[in-house]
Every structure is written in C-alpha cells, then in structure tokens.
Amino acid sequence: MKIFSIFINILCLKYCVSITNQNNEQMVVDVVKSYEKPTSVVARVCWESTTVKRKLAKMLANLERPISVRYLRKNETIQQSYPNNHLLFLLDINCENVEFFLKQADANKLFSKSYRWLILGNSINDNGSIATEFENLSISVDSEVIITQEKERNYILLHTIYKLRPHNKWNMEYYGTWAPDYGLNKSDDRIHSNVHRRKDFKGEPVFTSIVAEDNRTKTDLFGLRNIFIDSLSKSSFPSVVSLYDFLNASKVIIFAETWGYPINGSWSGMVGDIKHGKVDLCGTVTLMTLERLRIVEYLTMPTNAISVKFVFRQPPLSYQNNLFILPFTSNVWMCLGVFVFILVAILYINTKWDRKKYEIYNDQKMDQTCLPPNWSDITLFVLSAISQQGSSNELKGTLGRFVMFIVFLAFVFLYTSYSANIVVLLQSTSNQIRTLADLLNSKLELGMEDVAYNRYYFSLQDAYTFKDPIKKAIVEREIASKGKPNFMKIEDGVKAMQQRPFAFNMNTGIGYRIVSALFQEHEKCGLQEISFIPSTKPWLCSQKYSPFSEVFKVGYLRIQEHGLSDRENRLIYAKKPVCSVMGGSFGSVNMVDFYPVCLLLLYGMILAFVLLGVEILVQRWQKRGSNQSAIQLNIIV
Ligand SMILES: *[C@@H]1O[C@H](CO)[C@@H](O)[C@H](O)[C@H]1NC(C)=O
Ligand SMILES: *[C@@H]1O[C@H](CO)[C@@H](O)[C@H](O)[C@H]1NC(C)=O
Ligand SMILES: *[C@@H]1O[C@H](CO)[C@@H](O)[C@H](O)[C@H]1NC(C)=O
Ligand SMILES: *[C@@H]1O[C@H](CO)[C@@H](O)[C@H](O)[C@H]1NC(C)=O
Ligand SMILES: *[C@@H]1O[C@H](CO)[C@@H](O)[C@H](O)[C@H]1NC(C)=O
Ligand SMILES: *[C@@H]1O[C@H](CO)[C@@H](O)[C@H](O)[C@H]1NC(C)=O
Ligand SMILES: *[C@@H]1O[C@H](CO)[C@@H](O)[C@H](O)[C@H]1NC(C)=O
C-alpha cells in the first residue's frame, strides 16, 4: 500500500503539475469568457514550460471574442500605462517575489475600479484565513479580486475579497465554482454591481468635512432658523445624512472654516482636509475648479437652484443711453438733416420768387408779414415748424402756401412719432448689460455676498481673476471706489438691489428667496444674471481615487432620484421669480432721464452769453469805426 502511494507520488511529480495546470487554463478561459466584454489578459505566472503558456494563449485566441494575453517576465513590474477598463491580471500566488509584485501593483493603484484580478493557487489557508501576501494592500470596495481555493476532485471555489480600509477585516464573497465537468457556475449575486453588494459599511466611520463660517451652524445643522448663514452646508447636510443611512456607516463630522483655496501652494479649508486624507467626503457643495479637479472627485450636482452670479434689475434705459436720440434710427436722423437743408433751400428760392413777383410785376412793397428772403429768417421759420411753433412771417401766394402746408404737415407727423416713442422709452429698461465688460462699463454699483468664496474670487489671489483683464478691472474698480471690496450680508444686498441700480453677486438660490419676499410684483421683472466666478454650479465631492467614490455616487444619485435632496433644496432655495405683471410698473421721470436736455439747455445758455459778448464786441468795434469816420469827416469838413 505504502509502496503504491510512493509510486503515485513519483508519477505525480512528473505529471500532476501539468494536470492541474491544464485545469487552471480551462478555468482562466471560462472566467474570462464569463465577463462577456472586451478583455485582454496580463499574466504573471511561473509555469516553466512555454507549451503551457502557448496553449493558454491559443485557447484565449480561439474564443468567439478573441482575447490576447501578455506574459510578464520574472522581474518585470507593471505600471499604470494600461487602459483600465478591459484588463484582467492573472497572477500565480505561488511564484517568487509575489509580495513585491503586489506591492508595486498597489502603488500604481491597480486594485482600483475597473481593473480585474484572478489569483491562481490557493490563497485561502486551511484555517480559513486569507494569505498574508494581501495583508496591506488597498483592495477595497471598488476592486474585483478573485481568489481560488482548490478542493478535492479538481473542483475549484472562487471568491472575491475586499476590505473597507486597509486595517479592517477581510470580507469574502462567493464568486462561483468551477469544475472540469461543467465549467464555471457563477453566483447569481454577480449580476448586481459591486456597489450594490458592498454598500453595507457595517458601522465603519466615514469622515465628512462641513464648512461652517458661523459657530452656531455647528450645533444646528438641521435648523432652518438662520437659513441665510451657511445655507450651502445646511442644504447639503440632509443628503449627507441620508448617505450615511444608505451606507450604514457611522458619522464623523469635521468642521472647516472655508471651502479651501490654494494659498502659497498649500490648500486650506475643506479641500485641504480632503487633500491631507483627513476626510472622505465633502459635506458641503463646492464649486468646480481646475485646481480642485486634481484633488477631489466631483460626484453629483444636487440642485439646479444654486449658482453664484451677479444679479441686478435692469436699469432704466437712460442709464446707458441718451433717450432723446433713440426714437429715430441714425438713418432717419440723417434724412431729417438733409430734409431741413433742402427745405431751407426751397424756401429761399420761394421767398426770392415772392419778392420778385411783388416788386417787379406787382410793383408793390413786400408785406411786413411776408417771409423775407434771407437765411436767418428762413432758418428760424423752419426751426419753428420743427418745434411745432407758429411764426409771425409766412409765405404768400399759392405756391408759398402749398409749401407751408407741406412743411407743417411733415413735421407734425415726425413730431408725433418722436414724442410717442419718447414716452415708451422713458418707461423702458435697458437689456444692454449682458457681459462682464458691460457691467464694468455701466453705472451700476457692485456688491458681493460676504462668504468665503466671494472673498477669494474677488481678491487678486485667484489666478483666474488675476489673469482676466475684465475681472481684474472689476475687482480693482471695486477696491478703488470704496477702499475695500463691497462685501455685505445677503439681505442688505438684495435690499440695495431693490432700491437703487445695484448688481449683487450672490447665491441665487437664497437670494431669489429674499427677492420673492421683499420685491413688489413688478420689480421681479427684468432680473438679469451675469456670472463672474468661472463655474457657477456647486457639486458634492469626495477624495480623488477614493475607493468609495463609486459607492458615494450611487448613494447620492439614489437619494436624488427618491426626491430627498430635492425636498431639502426646496425648503431652502427659491427659483428665479417669474414676472407676472409687467405693465404694472410705473417710474417717475428722474434726473438721469432728462440729463441730456439739461445739458443742452446749459450749452445753449453758455452759447447765448458767448454770442452776447461777441455782439457787444462787434457793436463797440462798429461804434469806434463810425466815430473814426465821423472824425475823418470832421477833418475833411
Ligand atoms: C530580479 O530582481 C532581483 C532583485 O530585485 C535580483 O536579485 C535578480 O537577479 C533579478 N532577476 C533577474 C532575472 O533579473
Ligand atoms: C492560519 O494559518 C497560517 C499558516 O497556515 C498562519 O500564518 C495564520 O496565522 C493562521 N491564522 C490563524 C487565525 O490561525
Ligand atoms: C502590514 O503592515 C503592518 C503595519 O504597518 C506590519 O506590521 C505588517 O508586517 C505588514 N504586513 C505585511 C505582510 O507586509
Ligand atoms: C450552479 O449553482 C446553482 C446554485 O448555486 C445550482 O442550482 C446549479 O445546480 C449549479 N449548476 C451546476 C451545473 O452545478
Ligand atoms: C449596520 O451595521 C451594524 C453594525 O454596526 C450591523 O449590526 C447591522 O446589521 C447593519 N445593518 C444593516 C441593515 O445591514
Ligand atoms: C468659533 O469657535 C472657535 C472654537 O470653538 C473659536 O476659536 C472661534 O473664535 C469662534 N468664532 C466665532 C466667530 O465666534
Ligand atoms: C504667502 O507667501 C508670501 C511670500 O512668500 C507671504 O508674504 C504671504 O503672507 C503668504 N500668505 C499666506 C496666507 O501665508
């Protein structure tokens, strides 16, 4: 009996290896096939014979969907230069230097999302524990690492393993069984995604950072009493709490003072906490910026209601334009000018003709009321026609009367359309402020809500503000006008917006809530928005490359789909108020509206005085001339 067993052992030494290998190859092929998606295999195995390697390659290439395999050399290490979505790593745990290989793979984050691993050889010890080689690797909830356990009669048990965090205990999931007779029998559970199977954190602490600028927020995150303070934190927090329920994790909250900005190369605030690994999750929505993209992973945008923009009521048209030019287009103005010239010329000819008729043919003196043929009288006559006034002079004769009729009729029509238009323009608002440059050049006063992100973006610390000439000019104008940027509480800003031409950079969700409460119905019309901060929609985020980001994302999306976050956001934020009574607005004409007229009057007065002076001078000069001629006459006499 003993001799027989020794004989079997000797035989086995020669053939058993190849037999088990044979099984392994078939199992590998079956596992790879079961994924039903493009795959290529990177293998680190220590089969000595090249025939076995070649055989596996052949079997994979002969599949319905051919799969390539690349064998790594003994000391070859792997870098992260592989596309992660169709790679399967094949590793034999019994090879030498495996520990080093695994550590290197871990350093390159090859156990993370979308990479797949199949570990050959027995990775589960007899006492049920998992091989120590995997001890310190970050094989977490997003990984897919299949280990094998060979049982009697060549049948192999497959399991996936993961740990929530490196220091936790292993979780093992049944993956399937493989037997030479019937191939791979995959567990039904594998239909569900990793997230669905692994979302139970079983009380594992998950760390969240929340921005609290006010100390009262720290104790009253659910309260809606001081809703204008830290509203972003208060609106995000219920979603975060729901996420903890989704994960069955325990809540650890760390408060930060700001969202976090790069200052002298290091990050402060919430993003700083994330960068230093202190927290897993942003508990407050945050704006997306290029620098932050390298540190955090943005998961979802909980609501459309929030954005950060300049909001202002459209100012009256006269803030941007001279109302008195607007009724006619420039073409009409030019035609009018030409028309007046032609008119003056025609009238001149006409009066000349009139005088000739009287003096030569009728041999009479011209009537005093007749328009004399000189330029100044004719111009005055036309001006009086333009301004709808009468004139003491008139044209006589059929032709003259006809011309007069045409002149007055034409100007009545022009005058009517002009004044009708002015009435409308006096009540209209300007929609000409559309870009930041317009805002900069407008007469609107600017103000900002007093929150950390505004204080950052409206200082020249921010590289983008600094580089953009228009934004820089806005910030500098702001600082120049008041000595410091005009930060104010959101309530005060909205009130200022109601009372005077004022543009306020605010969180529109909260701002519109105040607008709805304070503004008259007609004042809600014509609210305009211009964004200053590059991306204005805030997102929830987690650590970059965090193994949990997928779980968090799915959790948040479910919370959103079920309407939980929507409910919270509706409690806090308001949408832009609709404009329902447009016509109800009535604004008295103010100084700005007829400023051009005053200017005209002033210029006219100045001109009058100048002319007076000129007249006096001329008169004196003439007087002296006549005196001199009188003296000369005297001398001659
Ligand atoms: C593999 O690396 C080890 C140390 O890293 C070295 O001692 C050994 O010679 C290398 N083997 C080959 C085949 O390069
Ligand atoms: C299980 O067995 C392995 C070696 O086979 C040993 O290193 C390990 O400490 C054992 N674990 C337990 C929990 O006994
Ligand atoms: C894992 O890390 C712990 C502590 O850092 C260390 O004591 C242990 O030896 C490591 N295990 C392996 C297999 O490297
Ligand atoms: C595969 O597993 C299921 C349940 O785990 C079992 O019902 C079925 O009989 C198995 N199929 C084979 C071919 O063993
Ligand atoms: C949640 O975690 C606790 C451990 O903290 C565990 O006892 C409980 O079963 C888990 N609940 C669910 C629903 O999985
Ligand atoms: C908030 O509390 C911290 C410590 O509890 C304290 O240092 C800080 O001065 C407080 N801030 C305000 C505005 O009260
Ligand atoms: C950043 O560095 C500059 C010069 O190195 C220093 O003047 C400034 O105070 C620093 N700012 C902060 C917030 O540490």
PDB file of all heavy atoms in Angstrom, residues 200-204 248, ligand 5:
ATOM      1  N   ASP A 200     -22.936  48.016   2.349  1.00  0.00           N
ATOM      2  CA  ASP A 200     -23.094  47.986   3.805  1.00  0.00           C
ATOM      3  C   ASP A 200     -21.730  48.156   4.472  1.00  0.00           C
ATOM      4  O   ASP A 200     -20.906  47.255   4.441  1.00  0.00           O
ATOM      5  CB  ASP A 200     -23.740  46.669   4.224  1.00  0.00           C
ATOM      6  CG  ASP A 200     -24.062  46.663   5.700  1.00  0.00           C
ATOM      7  OD1 ASP A 200     -23.813  47.692   6.361  1.00  0.00           O
ATOM      8  OD2 ASP A 200     -24.561  45.636   6.186  1.00  0.00           O
ATOM      9  N   PHE A 201     -21.524  49.313   5.065  1.00  0.00           N
ATOM     10  CA  PHE A 201     -20.234  49.587   5.707  1.00  0.00           C
ATOM     11  C   PHE A 201     -20.192  49.062   7.144  1.00  0.00           C
ATOM     12  O   PHE A 201     -19.189  49.169   7.808  1.00  0.00           O
ATOM     13  CB  PHE A 201     -19.945  51.098   5.693  1.00  0.00           C
ATOM     14  CG  PHE A 201     -19.347  51.593   4.406  1.00  0.00           C
ATOM     15  CD1 PHE A 201     -19.742  51.058   3.192  1.00  0.00           C
ATOM     16  CD2 PHE A 201     -18.385  52.588   4.399  1.00  0.00           C
ATOM     17  CE1 PHE A 201     -19.197  51.514   2.004  1.00  0.00           C
ATOM     18  CE2 PHE A 201     -17.833  53.040   3.214  1.00  0.00           C
ATOM     19  CZ  PHE A 201     -18.246  52.505   2.020  1.00  0.00           C
ATOM     20  N   LYS A 202     -21.293  48.550   7.623  1.00  0.00           N
ATOM     21  CA  LYS A 202     -21.367  47.926   8.960  1.00  0.00           C
ATOM     22  C   LYS A 202     -20.784  48.819  10.051  1.00  0.00           C
ATOM     23  O   LYS A 202     -19.967  48.397  10.869  1.00  0.00           O
ATOM     24  CB  LYS A 202     -20.639  46.590   8.954  1.00  0.00           C
ATOM     25  CG  LYS A 202     -21.251  45.587   7.986  1.00  0.00           C
ATOM     26  CD  LYS A 202     -21.054  44.176   8.493  1.00  0.00           C
ATOM     27  CE  LYS A 202     -21.728  43.159   7.601  1.00  0.00           C
ATOM     28  NZ  LYS A 202     -21.040  42.998   6.306  1.00  0.00           N
ATOM     29  N   GLY A 203     -21.181  50.067  10.041  1.00  0.00           N
ATOM     30  CA  GLY A 203     -20.768  50.952  11.128  1.00  0.00           C
ATOM     31  C   GLY A 203     -19.367  51.504  11.002  1.00  0.00           C
ATOM     32  O   GLY A 203     -18.872  52.173  11.912  1.00  0.00           O
ATOM     33  N   GLU A 204     -18.714  51.252   9.900  1.00  0.00           N
ATOM     34  CA  GLU A 204     -17.381  51.827   9.690  1.00  0.00           C
ATOM     35  C   GLU A 204     -17.478  53.367   9.665  1.00  0.00           C
ATOM     36  O   GLU A 204     -18.359  53.916   9.016  1.00  0.00           O
ATOM     37  CB  GLU A 204     -16.857  51.319   8.341  1.00  0.00           C
ATOM     38  CG  GLU A 204     -15.564  51.919   7.874  1.00  0.00           C
ATOM     39  CD  GLU A 204     -14.360  51.431   8.654  1.00  0.00           C
ATOM     40  OE1 GLU A 204     -14.463  50.373   9.302  1.00  0.00           O
ATOM     41  OE2 GLU A 204     -13.330  52.119   8.623  1.00  0.00           O
ATOM     42  N   ASN A 248     -24.979  52.583   5.914  1.00  0.00           N
ATOM     43  CA  ASN A 248     -24.923  52.002   7.253  1.00  0.00           C
ATOM     44  C   ASN A 248     -23.553  52.280   7.864  1.00  0.00           C
ATOM     45  O   ASN A 248     -22.918  51.412   8.445  1.00  0.00           O
ATOM     46  CB  ASN A 248     -25.215  50.496   7.200  1.00  0.00           C
ATOM     47  CG  ASN A 248     -25.455  49.907   8.569  1.00  0.00           C
ATOM     48  OD1 ASN A 248     -25.728  50.638   9.514  1.00  0.00           O
ATOM     49  ND2 ASN A 248     -25.316  48.600   8.688  1.00  0.00           N
TER      50      ASN A 248
HETATM   51  C1  LIG B   5     -25.500  48.049  10.085  1.00  0.00           C
HETATM   52  O1  LIG B   5     -24.287  47.891  10.779  1.00  0.00           O
HETATM   53  C2  LIG B   5     -24.434  47.214  12.024  1.00  0.00           C
HETATM   54  C3  LIG B   5     -23.061  47.217  12.657  1.00  0.00           C
HETATM   55  O2  LIG B   5     -22.716  48.498  13.042  1.00  0.00           O
HETATM   56  C4  LIG B   5     -24.941  45.841  11.771  1.00  0.00           C
HETATM   57  O3  LIG B   5     -25.111  45.198  13.014  1.00  0.00           O
HETATM   58  C5  LIG B   5     -26.271  45.910  11.070  1.00  0.00           C
HETATM   59  O4  LIG B   5     -26.706  44.621  10.724  1.00  0.00           O
HETATM   60  C6  LIG B   5     -26.143  46.718   9.804  1.00  0.00           C
HETATM   61  N1  LIG B   5     -27.450  46.930   9.244  1.00  0.00           N
HETATM   62  C7  LIG B   5     -27.789  46.516   8.046  1.00  0.00           C
HETATM   63  C8  LIG B   5     -29.143  46.867   7.594  1.00  0.00           C
HETATM   64  O5  LIG B   5     -27.024  45.894   7.341  1.00  0.00           O
END
